[in-house]
Amino acid sequence: MATLNTTPDTEKIKAREGIISILEDIQARFGYLPEKELRNVAEHTGQSLVDIYGVATFYKSFSLKPRGKHLVSVCLGTACHVRGGPNVKKEFEHSLNIRAGDTTKDKEFTLETVACLGACALGPIVVADGHYFSKVTSPKVKQIINKTREGLDKVEIQTDQRIFPVEISCARCNHSLMDPDHLVDYHPSIRVTISFERKHGWLRLSSLYGSYNIESEYEIPENTVVNFFCPHCHTELRGAANCVECGSPMVPMIVKGGGVIQICSKRGCKGHMLDLSGGIYG
Amino acid sequence: MVNLKLNGLIISVEEGTTILEAARFMGFPIPTLCHMEGLSPYGACRLCVVEVGEGTKAKLVTSCTSVVQEGMTVRTASARVVKARKMIVELLLATCPQSKVIQDIASELGVRQQRFRQEYEDCIMCGLCVRMCEEQMMAKAIGFRGRGDHRSIGTPFDMKSEVCRLCGGCIYVCPACQLRCTYTEPEKAICGGCMNLTPPCLEKEKFEDMMCYMEPCVACEIKNR
Ligand code: FES
Ligand code: FES
């Protein structure tokens, strides 16, 4: 059936797409969409504020209220609903003392409900900071909250067999970068010097392949691209490749026993490559 | 020119005409709610449905947004159309029973009762005010916000808009608040008749405890607070 709008207004659609990615960037930066920023967007794109506000309120991934540090989503899709999702939600609301959609006073948790996460057979599903919990029952809720509060990125080393320790040396001077006196994840750490935003200091990486735990002299803000240096020869550890996830430069290091590991230089990005055969700049 | 069969009549109309325009031109009445000359068709209320096509392939389409096509068959008042329309009116009544416009349409179609859960929503999301503001007043002060059953119309952040010139156009076209606040002359039937120049929906605070004889006046916004 032909309608009046047979040719979609491509200009309009394009402008809209542009807005979505701008809003996504703002959301990534602040964790929510501050009013001031939305007004800024309106001014710079020449779009009216209503339209931008409309887009911002339409999509669930945008939030106009500041969000908590941890995001917990309880699935209330059909399958999870019949398997007891509502009870799980209630338990979360009870334990966190907030309603779904709200953030705790201490800005630690944001609780929200979602409709189907595509893992129905394992329902009720709860996703906390990107980690899936399956077959969640009310008694498990407390546990999930505690784990999330501690940080889910701290991987349980013993239990996960995919995680193994590596020994690393500088790609330029071949000096070992291992620091046996300083443990991260109960294993000798990898020590490098870093610089970002005019700050220089040390950084210790976990030598477990698959763990992202680090310790550093300075708190590195999320999404900062950091320059890595060898503490022995002081050359910058910088490869030719860019991270496939975020496009930031990769940092190459030699793995003892042959091979190269490259990690992304952006804080928070988990991009990495392990190549046990090739050369450094291959 | 495009030839089509309208209620059994073979007619030819100019290309690009909507079915609604063609039918009205030929004198076949089609009830509409969200359609208004001067505003772009929107297809929100679905009241203007007509049946297009023949036999099992016949479909219900909104005539206000569909343009005529060569050789199409249109029925504006078939049993199926009437049934669908009645149901739509019932649904509208269930959302906003107090609207004079909707009541008129209902009685025209012979709907005396509605079978759904009664709500008093006021806004039926016809989008007339949004289009009025954007297309005629060139202001874009109000728009749709949210989605699903949280969809609402209003200004960004629920704040007084800087681009709103208080023209009152939105209230003028609104089928839900029309004929509600008319001061002492109901025949004027334009909100703002009570001499408040600011559309009440934009200055909720001020009108919070306002009352008029058509109680509850300006309930359209204040009620929700
Ligand atoms: S319903 Fe919860 S994952 Fe599908
Ligand atoms: S008048 Fe056609 S959908 Fe409302």
Side-chain angles (χ1 to χ4, degrees):
Chain A
M1 188 75 249
T3 61
L4 274 191
N5 311 320
T6 33
T7 44
D9 203 335
T10 35
E11 280 290 292
K12 229 179 179 172
I13 289 174
K14 250 196 213 138
R16 211 173 153 126
E17 271 171 13
I19 288 183
I20 292 177
S21 31
I22 295 172
L23 294 186
E24 270 172 350
D25 285 351
I26 299 175
Q27 171 96 17
R29 175 117 181 254
F30 297 93
Y32 75 110
L33 300 176
E35 184 190 331
K36 209 179 100 217
E37 295 301 320
L38 290 191
R39 287 187 192 277
N40 255 340
V41 174
E43 204 169 291
H44 286 285
T45 57
Q47 301 256 342
S48 67
L49 187 59
V50 240
D51 287 346
I52 290 162
Y53 189 77
V55 173
T57 50
F58 185 87
Y59 293 102
K60 254 236 164 126
S61 52
F62 295 133
S63 162
L64 292 174
K65 284 187 268 165
R67 297 240 196 145
K69 228 163 77 208
H70 307 290
L71 176 65
V72 179
S73 324
V74 182
C75 180
L76 288 185
T78 318
C80 292
H81 199 279
V82 294
R83 282 163 182 257
N87 290 338
V88 174
K89 182 193 118 187
K90 237 182 254 155
E91 185 61 32
F92 267 108
E93 292 184 325
H94 191 78
S95 311
L96 295 173
N97 202 10
I98 47 170
R99 301 267 239 102
D102 289 346
T103 303
T104 49
K105 273 221 189 71
D106 56 2
K107 293 262 165 338
E108 281 287 316
F109 285 93
T110 297
L111 180 65
E112 61 179 29
T113 60
V114 287
C116 195
L117 291 152
C120 311
L122 296 171
I125 298 277
V126 168
V127 179
D129 287 348
H131 291 252
Y132 281 65
F133 294 88
S134 57
K135 302 204 174 143
V136 179
T137 47
S138 313
K140 274 206 208 161
V141 165
K142 277 254 154 61
Q143 217 179 321
I144 296 178
I145 294 178
N146 288 339
K147 257 197 204 160
T148 312
R149 188 171 275 136
E150 274 165 25
L152 286 162
D153 279 341
K154 285 211 171 66
V155 223
E156 291 158 42
I157 305 144
Q158 273 82 15
T159 53
D160 200 330
Q161 301 155 0
R162 286 167 306 175
I163 294 176
F164 54 91
V166 286
E167 262 183 59
I168 296 294
S169 56
C170 167
R172 191 55 54 82
C173 67
N174 221 354
H175 232 100
S176 172
L177 298 179
M178 304 309 291
D179 185 352
D181 301 330
H182 199 108
L183 304 184
V184 174
D185 285 343
Y186 313 109
H187 283 268
S189 58
I190 304 164
R191 190 168 72 100
V192 289
T193 31
I194 52 161
S195 79
F196 66 97
E197 289 168 1
R198 302 233 191 93
K199 288 192 190 121
H200 297 275
W202 53 261
L203 173 77
R204 289 189 167 90
L205 306 152
S206 169
S207 61
L208 294 178
Y209 183 71
S211 162
Y212 302 99
N213 296 338
I214 58 163
E215 279 172 29
S216 133
E217 199 170 339
Y218 303 104
E219 175 92 12
I220 310 170
E222 282 289 302
N223 295 334
T224 327
V225 176
V226 176
N227 296 326
F228 284 67
F229 298 90
C230 168
H232 306 288
C233 64
H234 303 292
T235 41
E236 184 172 357
L237 303 169
R238 188 179 188 137
N242 283 339
C243 175
V244 279
E245 312 256 338
C246 68
S248 317
M250 296 290 267
V251 179
M253 289 177 287
I254 302 268
V255 182
K256 196 177 159 205
V260 179
I261 185 168
Q262 308 217 23
I263 59 168
C264 179
S265 58
K266 185 156 134 192
R267 173 80 179 115
C269 174
K270 291 182 177 168
H272 63 270
M273 266 189 283
L274 179 63
D275 184 357
L276 292 178
S277 56
I280 306 173
Y281 300 107
Chain B
M1 295 303 258
V2 179
N3 301 307
L4 69 150
K5 211 162 150 194
L6 183 64
N7 288 352
L9 233 62
I10 295 178
I11 59 166
S12 67
V13 292
E14 224 158 277
E15 222 179 298
T17 334
T18 60
I19 298 178
L20 179 69
E21 284 162 348
R24 289 210 165 148
F25 182 73
M26 298 308 291
F28 296 114
I30 295 178
T32 56
L33 182 61
C34 70
H35 178 266
M36 182 169 280
E37 224 154 277
L39 302 181
S40 58
Y42 190 59
C45 71
R46 320 309 284 179
L47 259 180
C48 64
V49 282
V50 293
E51 202 175 1
V52 169
E54 256 159 319
T56 47
K57 283 216 188 111
K59 296 194 284 187
L60 290 182
V61 301
T62 46
S63 61
C64 67
T65 54
S66 316
V67 285
V68 288
Q69 275 170 334
E70 185 62 44
M72 86 193 320
T73 330
V74 180
R75 265 150 291 141
T76 64
S78 64
R80 191 175 166 201
V81 168
V82 172
K83 198 172 156 213
R85 247 180 228 160
K86 281 192 171 166
M87 161 94 106
I88 293 163
V89 171
E90 280 183 61
L91 285 167
L92 287 171
L93 278 177
T95 338
C96 181
Q98 65 273 34
S99 156
K100 173 104 172 29
V101 178
I102 298 173
Q103 283 172 17
D104 286 351
I105 295 171
S107 68
E108 216 167 284
L109 293 174
V111 175
R112 303 250 168 275
Q113 232 175 21
Q114 63 88 3
R115 58 193 124 141
F116 304 102
R117 193 185 62 217
Q118 189 62 60
E119 279 165 19
Y120 296 89
E121 244 352 299
D122 291 322
C123 186
I124 50 168
M125 301 284 156
C126 68
L128 273 174
C129 51
V130 175
R131 281 174 285 152
M132 182 72 172
C133 187
E134 176 179 352
E135 293 167 16
Q136 290 297 331
M137 298 308 167
M138 309 298 169
K140 275 206 158 193
I142 51 173
F144 286 105
R145 310 166 304 178
R147 67 161 159 188
D149 55 350
H150 297 299
R151 201 160 182 239
S152 67
I153 292 176
T155 54
F157 307 104
D158 259 327
M159 277 189 235
K160 195 170 164 180
S161 162
E162 295 110 62
V163 283
C164 174
R165 301 188 301 270
L166 305 180
C167 69
C170 46
I171 294 171
Y172 176 73
V173 293
C174 178
C177 36
Q178 237 184 20
L179 284 178
R180 304 216 49 216
C181 178
T182 52
Y183 194 39
T184 48
E185 297 159 276
E187 64 275 16
K188 272 208 173 154
I190 293 168
C191 198
C194 59
M195 281 177 295
N196 70 66
L197 293 171
T198 323
C201 26
L202 296 176
E203 279 196 19
K204 291 183 199 165
E205 304 81 29
K206 262 214 218 150
F207 293 96
E208 183 139 38
D209 26 49
M210 204 179 89
M211 273 283 177
C212 89
Y213 79 105
M214 283 190 93
E215 210 262 331
C217 175
V218 290
C220 48
E221 277 297 316
I222 290 165
K223 193 190 74 188
N224 301 331
R225 285 175 48 104

